[in-house]
Amino acid sequence: MPYPELDLRMLAYALADKRMLMAMSSAVSTEYFHRECQVMWELISRCFTRYKEVPTERVLEQTAGQAWDEGLKAIGAAVQATVVDIREYPVDLEQFRARHNDRLLRRAGEEIFKNNYSDGRFTDLEAANRVMRETVARVAQINKADAFREGTLADTADDSWTEYERIERNPSFAAGIHLGFAEFDRITNGLRASEVLLIGGQSGTGKSALAMNMAVNAWLNGNRVPKDPDLPMTDFKPGRSLVYFTIEMPFEALRRRLHACVAGVSLYGIRDGTLTAEEKVRYRAALKFMQAYPWQFHIIDIPRGATMQHVESKYLEHCQSNPETPPELVVIDYISLMEPDEEKGSDWLNLGRIAEQFHEFGRVHEVPSISPVQLNRPEKGKQPALRPDQERIARSSMLVD
């Protein structure tokens, strides 16, 4: 029987050499193949895992044992007869992924609507949502980057020298996003694209307040808010646009905190309408400044239990709506209140998965990101001043509670 040409080509790449097989092992899985070729791929993978070498036909046959039937022999012969050029592998891999992507979407459509849609409505909406969430996660895995960049030190030597001379002429090119804390900014020279900053602390220690102040300082980037609303609001130095995802605090409460911070007035005075006359002038000036300031501080209030896919979707939606002022910083307050795309069986494994996706988000979109994380309480009998190391970050006490 004829076998899908693309499947035969991918299997031929796998048997071409060790490097190709290693690349394919991390790039595809069994479900990418059509049914008749899945057994062959699993057999190749099993041999490679056991012997760490590309299997020959004899090794495949011996490993398969009684399962080496006429069907596997025919597939093996078809693969051996398929000639491939490894320079064409990236193109074929892209087509292979696209085909699987298409198949997942069509299968999801069938599962969502088959026996679950009648008279213009879903009979089991949660089941439809579950299929959709699982499909989104699987599609994201297909399109996950194999590598962000490759190159040797020799190949990049000239580029490195050119970059150094550019920075020497203008040191500002080396600066990241300064967060307004002198020692941190001195050591790091700012937060750069794709970098993730986690702020660790126990409940009530000011993690969210620190993240918010860092965000405000980054947004203003040295601009000062006039204390008089009658002063001109046009002479701005370059600022930074950012997106601030709030999970712990509602939109209105966070907005009041930001207003108080930027204006330098009492938070409770804004909330209760009890600002002094002087504070009212400063508050009005700050609001006028915010209206005129060209860089955006965009707040997105998302529910507890949101996933990184949800965050990424809202981020991309914001980027599309604001092409002139794309966000240069993302803050999530905070990832300990989120849920993973797939249940890992325990709260600390779930949090690890979220942190992994948070880091991946920053790498893919080349945007620096900040999030508080809750540290564990010290174990009974240990000193309260236990060093805040990875052990204490591993599990959020709030999730356990």
Side-chain angles (χ1 to χ4, degrees):
M1 64 174 289
Y3 301 104
E5 180 182 352
L6 185 56
D7 292 64
L8 294 178
R9 290 177 64 81
M10 296 307 292
L11 291 172
Y13 285 125
L15 296 175
D17 62 40
K18 188 174 182 177
R19 181 180 64 84
M20 290 301 305
L21 183 47
M22 290 176 66
M24 279 193 62
S25 295
S26 62
V28 305
S29 62
T30 301
E31 63 176 355
Y32 282 54
F33 291 87
H34 276 292
R35 188 182 302 108
E36 55 269 25
C37 293
Q38 288 182 355
V39 177
M40 177 59 76
W41 169 250
E42 289 179 349
L43 181 58
I44 293 171
S45 299
R46 189 161 70 248
C47 290
F48 183 64
T49 300
R50 181 182 301 178
Y51 303 115
K52 311 303 181 187
E53 290 292 345
V54 177
T56 63
E57 184 177 359
R58 183 175 68 85
V59 171
L60 290 171
E61 182 177 352
Q62 287 184 353
T63 304
Q66 294 182 348
W68 187 259
D69 56 14
E70 294 302 319
L72 274 177
K73 287 181 184 178
I75 295 174
V79 172
Q80 292 294 335
T82 302
V83 178
V84 292
D85 184 335
I86 60 174
R87 293 174 298 179
E88 297 175 352
Y89 170 73
V91 176
D92 285 337
L93 176 61
E94 183 178 325
Q95 293 177 2
F96 203 48
R97 284 173 160 169
R99 189 186 73 179
H100 183 53
N101 194 153
D102 178 77
R103 186 188 304 154
L104 284 177
L105 294 178
R106 286 187 285 108
R107 188 183 303 162
E110 292 172 1
E111 289 185 44
I112 289 172
F113 288 96
K114 186 178 180 181
N115 302 324
N116 192 19
Y117 194 78
S118 178
D119 298 327
R121 58 187 293 273
F122 289 103
T123 54
D124 189 344
L125 188 59
E126 179 52 37
N129 286 336
R130 184 176 62 254
V131 172
M132 184 63 72
R133 287 194 298 269
E134 292 172 353
T135 302
V136 168
R138 294 169 75 182
V139 168
Q141 192 64 29
I142 292 172
N143 296 304
K144 183 177 179 180
D146 294 325
F148 291 101
R149 188 180 175 186
E150 291 187 40
T152 68
L153 294 179
D155 292 339
T156 58
D158 288 341
D159 291 340
S160 298
W161 183 249
T162 300
E163 181 182 0
Y164 171 79
E165 290 186 317
R166 176 171 173 259
I167 293 171
E168 188 178 41
R169 289 191 298 270
N170 186 350
S172 66
F173 286 131
I177 296 179
H178 286 197
L179 302 179
F181 293 83
E183 188 64 9
F184 179 88
D185 289 338
R186 183 189 69 79
I187 293 171
T188 64
N189 200 14
L191 200 61
R192 289 168 176 77
S194 304
E195 291 183 340
V196 171
L197 173 63
L198 298 178
I199 302 171
Q202 291 177 221
S203 296
T205 54
K207 303 183 299 296
S208 295
L210 179 57
M212 186 195 74
N213 276 277
M214 286 180 165
V216 169
N217 291 338
W219 174 59
L220 293 174
N221 199 32
N223 283 291
R224 293 187 175 275
V225 180
K227 296 183 178 180
D228 185 344
D230 294 327
L231 291 174
M233 304 280 179
T234 54
D235 188 18
F236 302 119
K237 296 184 292 183
R240 305 279 190 177
S241 290
L242 62 92
V243 175
Y244 197 110
F245 290 92
T246 176
I247 305 175
E248 185 178 36
M249 191 178 299
F251 181 93
E252 292 79 7
L254 176 61
R255 184 184 61 188
R256 283 195 297 268
R257 284 177 180 262
L258 288 165
H259 285 178
C261 180
V262 174
V265 302
S266 166
L267 166 64
Y268 302 119
I270 294 177
R271 186 194 65 185
D272 302 331
T274 57
L275 294 175
T276 66
E278 181 185 351
E279 287 177 326
K280 286 171 64 177
V281 171
R282 291 211 302 270
Y283 185 34
R284 188 71 191 93
L287 293 175
K288 186 177 177 183
F289 170 87
M290 293 175 201
Q291 288 178 316
Y293 194 55
W295 293 273
Q296 296 188 30
F297 193 117
H298 191 81
I299 305 169
I300 302 178
D301 185 357
I302 57 176
R304 289 179 183 237
T307 64
M308 276 307 303
Q309 283 89 351
H310 185 184
V311 167
E312 186 170 29
S313 174
K314 294 298 295 183
Y315 170 82
L316 292 173
E317 180 182 312
H318 174 73
C319 291
Q320 291 169 0
S321 302
N322 301 273
E324 301 301 321
T325 53
E328 299 176 73
L329 176 67
V330 171
V331 181
I332 302 179
D333 187 18
Y334 52 96
I335 63 171
S336 302
L337 300 178
M338 298 175 66
E339 288 186 359
D341 58 339
E342 53 187 70
E343 175 60 43
K344 293 296 183 180
S346 68
D347 62 297
W348 66 275
L349 287 174
N350 286 342
L351 191 58
R353 172 62 176 166
I354 296 165
E356 173 192 334
Q357 292 180 300
F358 183 45
H359 180 255
E360 185 76 5
F361 166 84
R363 294 291 304 276
V364 169
H365 298 290
E366 298 185 333
V367 59
S369 308
I370 299 174
S371 179
V373 291
Q374 189 156 321
L375 302 184
N376 298 331
R377 297 186 181 93
E379 293 181 20
K380 290 183 179 180
K382 290 193 175 181
Q383 292 294 326
L386 181 67
R387 185 167 58 92
D389 56 15
Q390 288 96 326
E391 245 181 66
R392 301 216 19 226
I393 296 172
R395 180 184 286 109
S396 164
S397 59
M398 199 258 353
L399 286 175
V400 177
D401 293 343

